[in-house]
Amino acid sequence: ITPDDGSDDIFFHLQAVLNGDEFDMVPGARLQYEMGLDAPSGRMKAIKVLLESPGTAVEPAAPEEVEEFLAENPVEESAQDNLRLTDPVVQRMVINRGSLEGARDPSATLLGRISKSNMHIQASVGTGNSAAGPKIHGAKAGMKTGTLNNFGQKGFGYITPDDGSENVFFHLQAVQNASEPDMIPGARLQYELGICAERGTIKAVKVFLQAPGKGNMQAAMPGYGKGAASLQIHGAKAG
């Protein structure tokens, strides 16, 4: 990542991307990120990355670029021919993934990249998206789901994501369709991630109540006022 502040480029791994996949990683994409320490190397890296807006459309690879890639990444002749004969946009997507150095079976890795890129393009065409660029995320396309873990009297809580990742912080102000008495542990939530400007950490910036939790606020938060002990009943649009 090239930071907006002009500092040195920042390393990240695809596993750090919270709302996109490898095909969204097109040069020019706008990213938000949280810094952390890479334990093995002792260097700083982006440990959480959010796709803010997609990059420019993928340009088809030129034949000389394909030959240069193959010269730098020796593979079996059948794999070379497969890359040469595939769609130029797929060729570009394969090349953008970088070197095959370190792969246990470079030929199989190359064929796997070609297959996945073709599948991605076919899926994009099937959903009406451009095959020449990354997915365009709609208002809720990148939102995650989870369960309310706990909620405190100061107006903030934590969501346990369905994907098994670490708990996500949020503030009541981020909740779009519910209020404080609805913040009962076990409630099902849909949320959008963003950067906390004050601390530079990831948090949920938009939270939607999908289904209420069981129990009441007084049981969940000892000492909470009795007036908050009953759960609000939501209309048809509550979730």
Side-chain angles (χ1 to χ4, degrees), residues 192-205:
E192 178 182 324
L193 294 169
I195 295 288
C196 175
E198 294 81 7
R199 295 185 293 176
T201 55
I202 299 293
K203 67 175 183 179
V205 294

Side-chain angles (χ1 to χ4, degrees), residues 170-188:
F170 76 98
H171 193 275
L172 182 64
Q173 292 175 336
V175 180
Q176 306 293 305
N177 65 333
S179 59
E180 190 168 5
D182 301 307
M183 296 296 103
I184 307 295
R188 293 291 300 163

Side-chain angles (χ1 to χ4, degrees), residues 114-172:
I114 294 171
S115 177
K116 289 179 68 175
S117 298
N118 273 312
M119 290 173 61
H120 176 74
I121 287 181
Q122 290 170 9
S124 297
V125 171
T127 56
N129 292 333
S130 170
K135 295 177 289 187
I136 305 300
H137 296 280
K140 293 189 178 181
M143 298 190 80
K144 294 177 173 286
T145 56
T147 302
L148 179 60
N149 181 290
N150 62 72
F151 188 81
Q153 294 184 44
K154 294 184 179 180
F156 61 84
Y158 289 88
I159 303 167
T160 298
D162 289 341
D163 62 11
S165 56
E166 63 186 67
N167 287 351
V168 177
F169 172 85
F170 76 98
H171 193 275
L172 182 64

Side-chain angles (χ1 to χ4, degrees), residues 7 21-23 52 55 58 74 77 80 87 111 127 131 136 143 146 151 179 185 190-192 203 224 232 238-239:
S7 54
D21 58 30
E22 61 193 270
F23 299 109
E52 198 174 59
V58 178
E77 188 173 345
Q80 293 182 33
D87 185 279
L111 292 173
T127 56
I136 305 300
M143 298 190 80
F151 188 81
S179 59
Q190 188 176 20
Y191 59 96
E192 178 182 324
K203 67 175 183 179
Y224 196 86
Q232 290 179 335

Side-chain angles (χ1 to χ4, degrees), residues 181 183-185 213-222 224 228-231:
M183 296 296 103
I184 307 295
K214 296 180 180 180
N216 58 56
M217 187 61 83
Q218 187 150 353
M221 295 170 51
Y224 196 86
S230 60
L231 185 67

Side-chain angles (χ1 to χ4, degrees), residues 89-106:
V89 171
V90 172
Q91 292 173 340
R92 171 63 67 198
M93 295 168 75
V94 169
I95 292 172
N96 281 350
R97 289 291 309 279
S99 173
L100 299 174
E101 184 179 359
R104 281 186 287 183
D105 187 338

Side-chain angles (χ1 to χ4, degrees), residues 18-40:
L18 301 176
N19 66 335
D21 58 30
E22 61 193 270
F23 299 109
D24 296 309
M25 298 298 104
V26 178
R30 293 289 300 168
L31 304 172
Q32 289 184 313
Y33 56 92
E34 178 182 329
M35 297 295 291
L37 186 67
D38 178 46

